[in-house]
Amino acid sequence: MNPAISFLVVAALIMPAVLGALGLLALRHRLAVSRMVSIAACAALVAIAAALTLHASGGTTESYALGNWRAPFGIVLVLDRLSAMMLLLTAVLALAVMIYAVVTGIDRKGWHFHPLFQFQLLGLNGAFLTGDLFNLFVFFEVLLIASYGLLLHGQGPARLKAGVQYVVINLVGSTLFLVGVGLLYGVTGTLNMADLAVKVAAAPPGDQGLIAAAALVLTVVFALKAALVPLHFWLPGAYAATTAAVAALFAIMTKVGAYSLIRTGTLIFGEDAGPLAFLTGPWMLPAALITTVIGFVGLFAARRLREMAAWSVVGSMGVLLSAVSVFRVEAMGPALYYVLHSTLAGAALFLVVDLIAKRRGEQGDALEAGPRFCQSELLSGLFFLAAIGIVGLPPLSGFIGKLLILDGVRAAPEAGWIWGTILITTLIGVLAFARAGSRIFWKSAAIEGEAPVRALRGRTGGVVVAGGLLAALAALAALGGPVTAYTDAAAAQLFDPQQYVDAVLGENGGGRR
């Protein structure tokens, strides 16, 4: 790997690790300094991720051997188009969320927000860069431990209840992860993903049953992280209970599960795996379609705006995994485009909902009419844009993403089910958001007076950040050509696993020989 690129790859992990520890040990009582350090670090991560994405766009897959120990015996970090894209998405989202947390004062509601935020970024970046299944488990635990603290930030009984459920469910998932990893290691003798791709493809028939069992266990774990039915029940309560900034950052958390399904499904259990090829696809598609339906129907069942935002994450994951589950290169490119859209759209909706709730006084985010409130005209526009972004209407990127998915799956045998589910749930989403908007803005406009609120933090800054995320959706639509060219190339790279294997295990893999 090019020394400059090696430095940037390692910096994406070392910087949040060091700053997290520094914030915990030296800056815990210095809020102003912590804020400056955190915003500067997030901005630096955006620059690092942008440079890595630009480098990866050339099509080269590169690996970095930590400690100079050669794979499969040492730990490796791997950079390709997909991992670089996910790093950039995480960095952009983190910068927006951190600015929002600072300008609205969310970070003041409890100790250790900034260190936990940095450790969360460490876990996310590590999960996207690691080339080893066991270290994927390690980075999962890092981001989960940080997320436990962030979820409870600001305290309150609702957050405590949601936090306990979140911890218990994820502990079960972590246990299953170890079981799946142990099964794979027991059969193949390796956990390096490139080496697993070679060993699984050459596995004798007698070992294929255990490998299939391990694959299904890992699928359950990743489906839990991705909130796939019937393992979605933890998400609505947790995301609706926590602060808006944390919920917006958590929009990327479910994508870690989707990323893991995509990475293992195309690399370890890809076309070269023989009878084990794309083993999880037939199991995943029905669950993804049901997830889509439940997510968008949940928009109708929600009684609060935060609950609507949480259910929209579930619905968008169903749409995403419907495209992923067919495991076709022509569908994977649109799925990756939709990853970008759905993450930014979900985060924007959480922030817009929070801005509305803070200005409505006693009504908060309840779906009921109340007096007019501060900035209602401006926020009605932002809510409208966020809603059409979530459901996938023009002119924002959700419309392009869904059209690309519908086109990408049309050659699949299951295309009729996918088309019908996506189109019907889009209509359901439109009706649900129209109902919510009419209650919050239209019916409230007829009520005399204005909702009394205390002094608002981030009256301008919070609106700018939420508007910035919505502008990013417009930019994704305007730059649809180059962005889809990148995601299509990333999909083609995923379905050429030999390139990944050569980068890690080949002559240019690095490390001691």
Side-chain angles (χ1 to χ4, degrees):
M1 181 181 284
N2 183 301
I5 299 302
S6 300
F7 172 79
L8 293 177
V9 168
V10 174
L13 299 182
I14 295 297
M15 187 169 66
V18 171
L19 292 179
L22 177 66
L24 192 63
L25 297 174
L27 301 177
R28 51 188 297 190
H29 298 301
R30 304 178 66 182
L31 182 60
V33 178
S34 294
R35 286 174 163 179
M36 289 189 292
V37 169
S38 293
I39 292 176
C42 291
L45 275 179
V46 172
I48 290 170
L52 291 176
T53 303
L54 181 62
H55 177 78
S57 64
T60 303
T61 301
E62 299 195 60
S63 66
Y64 176 80
L66 294 176
N68 205 31
W69 290 103
R70 187 168 177 77
F73 308 105
I75 298 171
V76 295
L77 304 176
V78 184
L79 179 74
D80 64 358
R81 286 188 177 101
L82 177 58
S83 57
M85 183 190 84
M86 297 306 294
L87 284 179
L88 182 58
L89 176 62
T90 302
V92 170
L93 179 63
L95 179 60
V97 169
M98 179 54 68
I99 294 173
Y100 185 87
V102 169
V103 298
T104 58
I106 288 175
D107 62 334
R108 300 169 60 94
K109 293 185 177 181
W111 297 106
H112 312 312
F113 177 86
H114 294 278
L116 287 170
F117 196 95
Q118 294 300 321
F119 287 131
Q120 180 86 3
L121 294 181
L122 168 63
L124 289 168
N125 292 347
F128 296 137
L129 285 172
T130 185
D132 182 277
L133 269 184
F134 183 77
N135 286 289
L136 179 61
F137 166 78
V138 171
F139 285 117
F140 263 45
E141 293 309 297
V142 171
L143 68 90
L144 286 173
I145 291 171
S147 71
Y148 299 153
L150 289 173
L151 179 65
L152 296 174
H153 179 74
Q155 305 177 0
R159 284 173 197 165
L160 181 60
K161 179 181 177 181
V164 170
Q165 294 174 345
Y166 181 79
V167 169
V168 171
I169 291 299
N170 280 285
L171 284 176
V172 173
S174 298
T175 303
L176 289 176
F177 201 158
L178 283 178
V179 171
V181 164
L183 283 172
L184 270 182
Y185 185 78
V187 177
T188 63
T190 184
L191 290 176
N192 179 278
M193 286 193 276
D195 201 30
L196 276 171
V198 176
K199 297 288 180 63
V200 168
D207 291 341
Q208 290 178 358
L210 278 176
I211 294 174
L216 292 175
V217 170
L218 290 177
T219 300
V220 170
V221 175
F222 300 148
L224 174 66
K225 310 300 183 186
L228 194 66
V229 166
L231 305 171
H232 69 291
F233 52 86
W234 60 270
L235 188 149
Y239 281 36
T242 191
T243 61
V246 173
L249 179 64
F250 281 8
I252 194 73
M253 291 273 283
T254 50
K255 306 311 183 295
V256 179
Y259 169 87
S260 302
L261 288 167
I262 293 169
R263 181 66 76 187
T264 57
T266 55
L267 176 60
I268 302 174
F269 303 103
E271 291 180 354
D272 297 335
L276 299 173
F278 306 124
L279 176 70
T280 58
W283 301 85
M284 195 190 309
L285 180 59
L289 295 178
I290 296 172
T291 302
T292 307
V293 173
I294 289 179
F296 281 94
V297 170
L299 295 175
F300 263 118
R303 297 181 179 181
R304 311 189 75 86
L305 288 173
R306 288 189 177 92
E307 292 175 3
M308 289 191 70
W311 281 111
S312 73
V313 174
V314 176
S316 68
M317 287 305 300
V319 174
L320 167 61
L321 292 176
S322 296
V324 170
S325 61
V326 302
F327 283 107
R328 291 170 175 260
V329 65
E330 59 268 23
M332 192 64 74
L336 297 182
Y337 181 90
Y338 196 76
V339 166
L340 299 173
H341 160 77
S342 59
T343 303
L344 297 176
L349 182 59
F350 276 112
L351 299 188
V352 171
V353 163
D354 184 60
L355 293 171
I356 294 171
K358 287 179 177 178
R359 287 154 175 76
R360 295 191 73 211
E362 294 181 359
Q363 274 74 33
D365 66 333
L367 285 175
E368 58 186 36
R372 290 174 56 85
F373 52 92
C374 175
Q375 296 181 310
S376 59
E377 293 83 3
L378 175 60
L379 291 178
S380 66
L382 294 182
F383 182 80
F384 174 74
L385 291 174
I388 66 174
I390 290 292
V391 300
L393 297 180
L396 299 184
S397 52
F399 179 70
I400 295 175
K402 285 192 174 181
L403 278 183
L404 291 174
I405 287 175
L406 294 176
D407 182 61
V409 303
R410 60 190 170 88
E414 311 85 359
W417 288 100
I418 298 174
W419 272 62
T421 302
I422 290 178
L423 293 176
I424 291 172
T425 53
T426 296
L427 176 60
I428 293 173
V430 169
L431 295 176
F433 276 109
R435 183 194 65 162
S438 66
R439 288 185 178 180
I440 299 296
F441 299 104
W442 183 27
K443 292 183 179 179
S444 296
I447 299 177
E448 294 184 0
E450 184 167 319
V453 293
R454 290 182 246 176
L456 289 172
R457 287 183 177 271
R459 179 167 176 168
T460 300
V463 172
V464 169
V465 174
L469 286 176
L470 293 171
L473 300 182
L476 269 181
L479 300 174
V483 174
T484 54
Y486 184 96
T487 56
D488 288 344
Q493 195 174 48
L494 285 168
F495 283 85
D496 182 19
Q498 191 58 47
Q499 183 182 147
Y500 188 103
V501 172
D502 290 342
V504 175
L505 303 178
E507 292 298 318
N508 296 323
R512 295 185 178 92
R513 300 186 181 278

